[in-house]
Amino acid sequence: MKTFIKLGFIAILITTSIHSQQSQKLDSLLQTIKNQANDTLKVKNLQEVFKSYLYNNPKLALEYAEKGLKLSKKLNYKKGIARNYYNLGVYYSNTRQKDSTLTNYNKAAGIYEELKSSEGKILVNSGLAIFELDRGNFDKALSITDELITMLTTTVSDSSALAHAYGFKGSVNIQKGNYQIALNQILKQVKILEKLNNPIMLADAYNNLAGVELTNENFESSIDYNLKALPIYKAQNDTFYQAAVYNDLGMAYYSMGDFENAETNLNRSLQLSQQLNNINLEATVLANLGNTYTKKGDYNKALEFGTQSLELVQNIGRKNKIVESLNGLGMTYSAMGKEDKALEYYDKVVVLSDTIGNKFFLSLGYKERATSYALLNNYKFAYDNLKQHLIIKDSIYNDTKSQQIGELRTIYDTEKKEQQIQFQKNEIELLSTKNKVNNLQRLILGLGFAIALITAYAYYQRNKRNKLAKEKAEVDLEFKTKELTTHALHLAKKNEVLNDLKQKAKVLKQDANADPGYQMLIQTINFDLQDDANWKNFSKYFEEVHKGFNEKAQKQFPNITKNDLRLMALLKMNLSSKEIANILNISHAGIKKARQRLRKKMEIDSNTSLEATVIAI
């Protein structure tokens, strides 16, 4: 269930039970309006009828908004005029008529400004934020929402509207891919909602948190949040969101390798989505079930559900969903050992992903094709596809890195702005308190307080500048540390992929009676694994975070070599032995020997931790 809420943040879904209650209320309102005098109360009732019709009969909603505007003008009821201009803006926004939307919102804003109504300004700005989001202007929507949050924090006290503003900001950041910011905003929303009696809003917030945690691969947290949302949706008879939650639970369990629980929850979601006749959700769940049955080895069911999903998304033209379904079917055929058939689907994945600019599935398509070609003894195509996979994966990594830089900067700017808002709020509260003091007391106390305030303010400003400078330095260091870790893990994963393909090539080389082509493939992979360019980039990031580490290490331990410094750098980052082995391209046994040699050169006994010694440098 989603309801009209205070100050204009409007949601869309209405359950059957609530719809029945609203129908009874609407019939009563319509009967009242017929016999009602032309007064301000009738204007308010016309407003209620507009809200009732907005999402199930928009043309009638428009008719009642115009009736409300006409009557308000006749009565010279300015608040009613402004509200009905706003209603017309909502209607035109929903029907995507840009000019009419802005014209009516601006008229409403002008009258609310004349009336000095902060609530009215918040109402219009909330509509504008939704309008900009619908047009894909994410930054504009966020800018308007930030203004709303400032007003709701300093001028107008409305916890419900503030919770919606934080939730809306979180939703926009999810669409932008700023998941850390989204998580921060939605947690603020939850903190407010847990004190209010609005269960459906709280359930939506839990569901949003679960989605962010699922994207961030925090699967257990995602499950916990959705299990908090699910009973609320059941109590409110919200079938659509029950189905969505069951699908999300299924994917979290799937990602954890718990395919039994994944199957159970996805089947529940499928049953509800089919009851609702919601084709988008049904197609998504069918594709997820297909992938789950592939993992369980039930290939007949996997092909059945995967094919049904593909047919549905092809009928509605959802290209990103088509790519997902094609890839799922390719993986099923590959798991069955039918690589020729799998390639038919992977070829379509690559072509369509490239057409719509979906880098994730384009990279994945090349990777799966590389594996299939290798299993079909077509080593040249296998290597060509692997190279393309790595190129696009590097591109995705660079995009992600840029996104993280922007996100960290935004978090820093937001925290700084919130500090300024809090200071402004404190000043307003201080002025409000001072106004309650009588004139004599204000005169006597004001002089002394002013001096103290100036002194305290100067001290505060100095501390604030120092604190902000320190926080900026901490944010910069934290970002560089994350960037270094991301680069190291990316390097480890890349080498792991290359080594996996190298091992497959060795096996295939034996099966092909020493075909020289496989040896060429192995030599090319070895060349990539030994490429020093990746290590140079890593060393640059490492030096930015751990300045002077190499110089200190060599001064303290003169016998260490360049290779020893590489191992020490990775130990300094507290990486696992597997990750270190992948980065250095040596075996697990080789890592043990390297650690022993390093201990000997550093003259460390067996009772002393090598990691602790390196970290302390």
Side-chain angles (χ1 to χ4, degrees):
M1 179 193 73
K2 301 286 179 295
T3 58
F4 237 84
I5 66 158
K6 199 171 180 183
L7 298 178
F9 282 101
I10 303 167
I12 305 170
L13 300 174
I14 304 172
T15 64
T16 304
S17 62
I18 297 299
H19 186 273
S20 174
Q21 295 171 13
Q22 287 181 339
S23 295
Q24 294 173 9
K25 181 182 176 182
L26 177 59
D27 291 341
S28 175
L29 272 172
L30 291 171
Q31 190 60 41
T32 300
I33 288 170
K34 279 184 181 180
N35 306 313
Q36 197 170 13
N38 288 333
D39 55 16
T40 57
L41 181 58
K42 186 173 182 177
V43 172
K44 292 176 182 177
N45 284 336
L46 289 169
Q47 153 75 11
E48 292 301 314
V49 175
F50 165 81
K51 291 195 294 185
S52 297
Y53 279 134
L54 182 60
Y55 289 106
N56 52 43
N57 195 331
K59 287 186 178 179
L60 273 178
L62 174 62
E63 181 182 322
Y64 278 93
E66 289 173 339
K67 285 181 179 180
L69 178 61
K70 184 177 179 180
L71 179 56
S72 297
K73 286 181 175 180
K74 183 178 179 180
L75 298 171
N76 196 27
Y77 178 36
K78 289 191 175 181
K79 189 174 180 180
I81 296 171
R83 184 56 190 250
N84 279 286
Y85 275 133
Y86 166 78
N87 290 345
L88 287 169
V90 172
Y91 167 80
Y92 287 118
S93 177
N94 287 356
T95 54
R96 299 185 179 277
Q97 299 181 54
K98 175 185 174 183
D99 292 340
S100 296
T101 301
L102 295 176
T103 297
N104 284 282
Y105 278 154
N106 288 333
K107 287 179 179 179
I111 298 171
Y112 281 129
E113 187 70 33
E114 183 184 335
L115 295 172
K116 300 187 184 305
S117 170
S118 297
E119 289 84 355
K121 185 176 180 181
I122 290 172
L123 184 71
V124 174
N125 279 358
S126 68
L128 284 168
I130 295 169
F131 172 68
E132 295 295 350
L133 174 62
D134 286 343
R135 295 175 64 219
N137 298 332
F138 299 139
D139 291 336
K140 183 66 175 175
L142 287 173
S143 175
I144 296 170
T145 307
D146 284 337
E147 289 181 24
L148 283 171
I149 290 173
T150 300
M151 291 185 68
L152 289 166
T153 309
T154 60
T155 307
V156 179
S157 179
D158 189 330
S159 298
S160 180
L162 183 60
H164 265 280
Y166 281 131
F168 181 79
K169 190 173 179 181
S171 297
V172 178
N173 276 293
I174 288 173
Q175 294 193 52
K176 287 191 69 177
N178 294 333
Y179 300 114
Q180 193 60 40
I181 297 174
L183 187 65
N184 178 270
Q185 297 302 312
I186 299 170
L187 283 171
K188 289 180 181 179
Q189 180 191 27
V190 168
K191 189 175 180 181
I192 296 171
L193 290 175
E194 286 178 340
K195 297 178 182 178
L196 300 176
N197 185 24
N198 195 328
I200 198 65
M201 277 180 63
L202 184 59
D204 289 345
Y206 285 144
N207 183 238
N208 282 335
L209 282 173
V212 175
E213 294 290 23
L214 183 63
T215 302
N216 287 332
E217 299 184 357
N218 298 324
F219 304 122
E220 291 183 357
S221 294
S222 177
I223 290 169
D224 289 343
Y225 281 126
N226 265 326
L227 289 178
K228 288 182 179 180
L230 187 59
I232 300 175
Y233 287 136
K234 285 183 177 179
Q236 299 293 326
N237 196 27
D238 192 330
T239 307
F240 174 82
Y241 271 89
Q242 288 179 56
V245 166
Y246 280 128
N247 177 69
D248 291 348
L249 285 169
M251 291 315 297
Y253 283 120
Y254 173 90
S255 300
M256 294 170 67
D258 185 349
F259 303 121
E260 293 300 326
N261 267 321
E263 179 187 357
T264 299
N265 282 281
L266 289 171
N267 276 317
R268 288 172 181 166
S269 180
L270 180 62
Q271 183 181 4
L272 292 174
S273 61
Q274 288 174 337
Q275 286 176 14
L276 292 167
N277 196 28
N278 190 305
I279 295 175
N280 280 322
L281 183 56
E282 182 183 353
T284 298
V285 178
L286 285 168
N288 292 337
L289 274 168
N291 294 335
T292 301
Y293 285 123
T294 297
K295 290 292 186 181
K296 293 184 71 176
D298 191 342
Y299 302 127
N300 289 332
K301 279 189 176 181
L303 291 174
E304 176 189 345
F305 286 116
T307 303
Q308 288 179 30
S309 174
L310 181 59
E311 289 174 354
L312 287 176
V313 291
Q314 285 176 330
N315 287 336
I316 59 177
R318 293 287 301 278
K319 291 184 179 179
N320 275 312
K321 291 293 182 182
I322 292 172
V323 169
E324 290 183 35
S325 296
L326 288 169
N327 189 73
L329 285 166
M331 291 176 67
T332 303
Y333 280 115
S334 186
M336 296 169 68
K338 298 182 178 181
E339 300 301 337
D340 283 324
K341 189 69 175 175
L343 279 171
E344 291 179 20
Y345 288 94
Y346 292 144
D347 288 344
K348 293 176 183 177
V349 168
V350 169
V351 171
L352 185 54
S353 298
D354 193 28
T355 302
I356 63 177
N358 188 324
K359 286 187 178 180
F360 174 79
F361 274 102
L362 183 59
S363 173
L364 186 59
Y366 278 123
K367 180 183 176 183
E368 298 298 342
R369 280 208 316 198
T371 302
S372 292
Y373 278 127
L375 293 170
L376 290 170
N377 299 334
N378 192 333
Y379 53 86
K380 183 181 184 305
F381 277 22
Y383 179 70
D384 289 344
N385 276 270
L386 180 64
K387 290 287 285 185
Q388 288 299 316
H389 159 65
L390 293 174
I391 289 169
I392 298 166
K393 190 175 180 182
D394 281 341
S395 173
I396 294 172
Y397 166 72
N398 290 330
D399 290 345
T400 303
K401 185 168 65 173
S402 298
Q403 180 88 7
Q404 289 171 342
I405 292 171
E407 191 170 3
L408 286 170
R409 285 174 179 163
T410 302
I411 290 171
Y412 174 73
D413 290 340
T414 301
E415 289 175 350
K416 185 167 67 173
K417 185 173 182 180
E418 286 175 350
Q419 290 173 347
Q420 292 169 345
I421 291 172
Q422 185 60 43
F423 182 69
Q424 182 183 352
K425 184 179 179 182
N426 292 341
E427 284 185 324
I428 291 170
E429 290 175 354
L430 181 62
L431 289 171
S432 177
T433 303
K434 286 177 68 178
N435 285 334
K436 294 177 183 178
V437 183
N438 63 49
N439 291 336
L440 181 60
Q441 288 174 320
R442 252 185 287 173
L443 181 62
I444 296 171
L445 295 175
L447 290 172
F449 183 74
I451 296 171
L453 183 62
I454 291 170
T455 305
Y457 183 76
Y459 179 75
Y460 168 80
Q461 286 291 89
R462 186 180 64 189
N463 282 347
K464 180 181 174 184
R465 284 194 298 271
N466 292 340
K467 182 180 178 183
L468 288 176
K470 181 181 177 183
E471 287 175 351
K472 184 178 184 304
E474 289 173 350
V475 168
D476 289 343
L477 180 60
E478 181 184 357
F479 168 71
K480 288 178 180 178
T481 303
K482 287 180 179 178
E483 190 176 33
L484 172 63
T485 304
T486 302
H487 188 83
L489 295 178
H490 170 73
L491 188 57
K493 186 64 178 176
K494 175 184 174 183
N495 286 352
E496 184 179 4
V497 171
L498 286 170
N499 274 313
D500 285 346
L501 186 62
K502 177 180 172 181
Q503 294 307 315
K504 288 177 182 177
K506 285 182 177 179
V507 172
L508 293 168
K509 173 186 169 185
Q510 293 173 354
D511 293 342
N513 298 318
D515 189 319
Y518 288 111
Q519 185 59 36
M520 182 172 30
L521 174 61
I522 292 167
Q523 289 173 351
T524 307
I525 293 173
N526 285 335
F527 177 78
D528 282 349
L529 287 169
Q530 294 164 9
D531 187 0
D532 280 341
N534 288 319
W535 186 260
K536 287 179 181 177
N537 288 332
F538 170 81
S539 299
K540 184 185 76 172
Y541 292 131
F542 183 83
E543 185 61 27
E544 287 178 357
V545 176
H546 305 289
K547 294 185 183 299
F549 175 81
N550 287 355
E551 186 179 343
K552 291 176 187 175
Q554 286 179 318
K555 186 175 180 180
Q556 192 171 346
F557 306 103
N559 294 328
I560 59 176
T561 64
K562 181 180 177 181
N563 287 335
D564 293 330
L565 281 171
R566 289 187 177 188
L567 175 58
M568 291 172 75
L570 299 172
L571 291 171
K572 176 81 171 175
M573 291 179 62
N574 203 23
L575 296 177
S576 68
S577 294
K578 180 183 176 183
E579 289 162 344
I580 294 173
N582 283 332
I583 292 171
L584 296 180
N585 193 31
I586 57 178
S587 66
H588 188 68
I591 287 291
K592 285 186 177 180
K593 290 179 181 178
R595 287 168 61 96
Q596 290 170 358
R597 286 195 299 269
L598 184 58
R599 274 183 174 278
K600 187 174 181 181
K601 291 178 182 179
M602 294 173 68
E603 299 179 355
I604 298 174
D605 59 42
S606 58
N607 295 323
T608 303
S609 168
L610 177 61
E611 285 82 357
T613 304
V614 172
I615 290 170
I617 297 175

